[in-house]
């Protein structure tokens, strides 16, 4: 029965299953492909193309995470659905470097298969639940409308494809914000989107781990193919420490506390949409850019810094911190002095660019990330000590 495909909600933590982790493996490859594609096309057009592709990857993943918050991945039919999505995701990832070239239609068809296929399966699975059924009727309408744009773009070339896909990815971002409103079907309500906070926080955390792991893969692969001069070794160490610092900042106490905020909210769907559906993509983009910057500083640690190198080396950590700040604001309604200070420090480094080598700039950016991590750790420890003293 379709009802048997839904998770059993007993008030406890809905753990992330092994099949969900298995599904995520496709996106390790996808993020790696995206980094390499951006590195090979470091132009404004290349950045826009990478942004569109990252948006597609993000919605293919986050929408699936929402689905497994409702459907039980331990059920054979749900597992089969996830395996089929994996196959389409692998095709999408493989075609990604040529998505704006000869494999545009392949990429579009794979993405559409994921979005429309997953929506239709879930619509069938929840057909006996009045609220969820109406919700997924609207979602499927949006998915089909988006599919027209993606497929049409895949059939076109050049600027036309770019324009159609830009509209399509904007539609992906707009749909939840507009509550999937459809004429005749009305709109959804966030109170209808029952979310288990621990599961959603864990899923997003695992995707961040994937992106950080991709950064380590890029760093290690690049380092292995270079002559290990002192400057190259220093660039390798800098990249590794930078990755550790990003992990340190994201997986702070705020990450764990945010799942409690969802669990204790009277409108779990609203908090999950704001904190875990939109804001993490900024963090992911920052990690991808930082990985590209690490590869650039490893390959050319000395010499003059051109505009592209400076923009990537500073822009990656800055975008990561912006995303981390927006996440904290979305989850807790609070500004973070440490993250704002880190953003300001990275912006100030622009004035030091003429005086530094690519390695020097990377080391300075990494020092800022480490500084933010230290600041937050000390601040958290001070709060614990103060609470203990009050007790």
């Amino acid at each position: 029965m379709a009802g048997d495909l839904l998770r059993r909600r007993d008030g406890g933590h809905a753990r992330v299953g092994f099949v969900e982790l298995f599904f995520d493996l496709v996106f390790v490859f996808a993020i790696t492909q995206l980094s390499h594609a951006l590195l090979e096309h470091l132009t404004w057009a290349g950045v826009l193309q990478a942004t569109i592709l990252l948006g597609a990857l993000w919605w293919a993943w986050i929408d699936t995470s929402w689905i497994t918050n409702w459907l039980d991945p331990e059920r054979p039919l749900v597992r089969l659905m996830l395996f089929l999505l994996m196959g389409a995701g692998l095709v999408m990832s493989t075609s990604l470097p040529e998505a704006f070239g000869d494999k545009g239609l392949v990429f579009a068809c794979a993405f559409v298969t994921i979005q429309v296929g997953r929506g239709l399966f879930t619509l069938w699975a929840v057909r006996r639940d009045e609220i969820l059924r109406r919700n997924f009727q609207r979602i499927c309408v949006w998915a089909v409308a988006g599919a027209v744009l993606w497929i049409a773009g895949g059939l076109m070339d050049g600027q036309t494809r770019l324009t159609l896909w830009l509209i399509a990815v904007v539609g992906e971002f707009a749909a939840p914000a507009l509550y999937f409103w459809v004429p005749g079907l009305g709109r959804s309500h966030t109170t209808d989107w029952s979310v288990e906070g621990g599961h959603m926080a864990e899923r997003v955390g695992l995707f961040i781990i994937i992106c950080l792991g991709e950064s380590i893969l890029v760093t290690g692969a690049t380092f292995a193919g270079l002559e290990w001069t002192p400057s190259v070794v220093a660039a390798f160490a800098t990249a590794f420490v930078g990755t550790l610092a990003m992990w340190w900042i994201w997986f702070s106490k705020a990450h764990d506390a945010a799942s409690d905020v969802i669990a204790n909210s009277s409108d779990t769907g609203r908090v999950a949409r704001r904190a875990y559906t939109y804001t993490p993509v900024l963090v992911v983009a920052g990690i991808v850019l930082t990985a590209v910057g690490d590869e650039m500083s490893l390959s050319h640690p000395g010499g003059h810094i051109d505009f592209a190198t400076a923009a990537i080396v500073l822009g990656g950590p800055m975008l990561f911190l912006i995303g981390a700040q927006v996440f904290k604001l979305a989850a807790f309604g609070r500004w973070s002095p440490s993250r704002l200070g880190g953003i300001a420090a990275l912006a100030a480094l622009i004035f030091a660019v003429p005086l530094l080598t690519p390695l020097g700039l990377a080391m300075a950016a990494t020092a800022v990330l480490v500084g933010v991590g230290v600041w937050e750790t000390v601040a958290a420890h001070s709060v614990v000590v103060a609470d203990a003293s009050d007790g």
Side-chain angles (χ1 to χ4, degrees):
M1 295 175 61
D4 293 336
L5 299 182
L6 295 174
R7 282 185 181 269
R8 300 287 189 269
R9 295 293 177 86
D10 56 6
H13 173 56
R15 71 178 183 86
V16 175
F18 291 121
V19 68
E20 293 173 90
L21 299 176
F22 189 46
F23 171 80
D24 289 351
L25 291 178
V26 169
F27 291 87
V28 177
F29 179 49
I31 294 297
T32 301
Q33 291 279 78
L34 184 64
S35 295
H36 289 162
L38 179 58
L39 189 62
E40 292 175 5
H41 301 90
L42 276 178
T43 62
W44 289 115
V47 170
L48 179 58
Q49 290 174 5
T51 301
I52 292 171
L53 296 176
L54 176 60
L57 292 176
W58 174 250
W59 286 107
W61 182 85
I62 191 63
D63 284 347
T64 305
S65 296
W66 273 85
I67 295 303
T68 54
N69 186 77
W70 287 308
L71 301 185
D72 187 354
E74 300 303 316
R75 303 295 179 181
L77 282 178
V78 179
R79 284 191 170 188
L80 177 60
M81 182 267 293
L82 289 175
F83 293 153
L84 292 174
L85 293 184
M86 284 183 68
L90 189 58
V91 173
M92 180 178 68
S93 302
T94 304
S95 61
L96 192 149
E98 293 296 324
F100 284 92
D102 295 336
K103 296 182 179 178
L105 185 59
V106 175
F107 178 87
C109 288
F111 179 73
V112 166
T113 298
I114 293 172
Q115 296 298 88
V116 176
R118 182 188 55 232
L120 291 175
F121 174 85
T122 308
L123 177 60
W124 171 81
V126 302
R127 66 188 184 276
R128 292 188 175 90
D129 186 304
E130 176 66 23
I131 294 176
L132 287 178
R133 185 180 76 248
R134 298 286 288 180
N135 185 48
F136 277 95
Q137 285 174 345
R138 302 180 189 102
I139 289 174
C140 286
V141 171
W142 276 84
V144 171
V148 173
L149 291 170
W150 287 105
I151 297 297
L155 292 169
M156 301 298 175
D157 294 317
Q159 191 66 32
T160 304
R161 178 180 298 175
L162 182 69
T163 302
L164 288 172
W165 282 6
L166 180 59
I167 296 171
V169 82
V170 168
E172 300 288 340
F173 278 88
L178 297 176
Y179 303 94
F180 299 102
W181 178 82
V182 174
L185 293 176
R187 49 162 279 186
S188 299
H189 300 271
T190 53
T191 51
D192 299 337
W193 303 339
S194 176
V195 174
E196 201 287 295
H199 181 266
M200 185 62 73
E202 190 175 355
R203 292 298 290 126
V204 172
L206 289 170
F207 194 82
I208 299 298
I209 288 289
I210 285 174
C211 297
L212 292 173
E214 185 275 336
S215 180
I216 291 175
L217 286 174
V218 169
T219 299
T222 304
F223 182 60
L226 297 172
E227 182 182 354
W228 290 5
T229 63
S231 59
V232 168
V233 172
F236 171 74
T238 299
F240 180 64
V241 172
T243 302
L244 292 179
M246 288 188 289
W247 176 89
W248 185 5
I249 294 167
W250 180 259
F251 292 98
S252 61
K253 289 188 176 181
H255 173 73
D256 295 330
S259 64
D260 295 332
V261 169
I262 298 178
N264 297 323
S265 173
S266 59
D267 190 350
T268 57
R270 179 181 60 83
V271 179
R273 182 189 63 168
R274 185 178 61 196
Y276 284 109
T277 302
Y278 283 110
T279 59
V281 71
L282 296 173
V283 175
V284 170
I287 294 172
V288 171
L289 277 181
T290 302
V292 173
D294 290 341
E295 187 163 354
M296 294 170 73
S297 62
L298 266 166
S299 300
H300 306 285
H304 175 70
I305 304 177
D306 58 23
F307 174 80
T309 300
I312 295 295
V313 171
L314 291 179
M318 186 180 295
L319 190 55
F320 171 83
L321 288 179
I322 290 172
Q325 167 56 70
V326 173
F327 170 78
K328 198 161 188 177
L329 189 62
F332 306 104
R334 295 201 304 267
W335 294 95
S336 169
S338 57
R339 296 175 187 189
L340 290 173
I343 294 167
L346 287 167
L349 284 175
I350 294 173
F351 299 102
V353 167
L355 306 175
L356 298 173
T357 62
L359 173 58
L361 187 62
M363 293 176 70
T366 295
V368 170
L369 290 175
V370 172
V372 172
V374 171
W375 186 346
E376 295 197 347
T377 301
V378 171
H381 178 71
S382 298
V383 170
V384 171
V385 171
D387 290 343
S389 298
D390 292 340

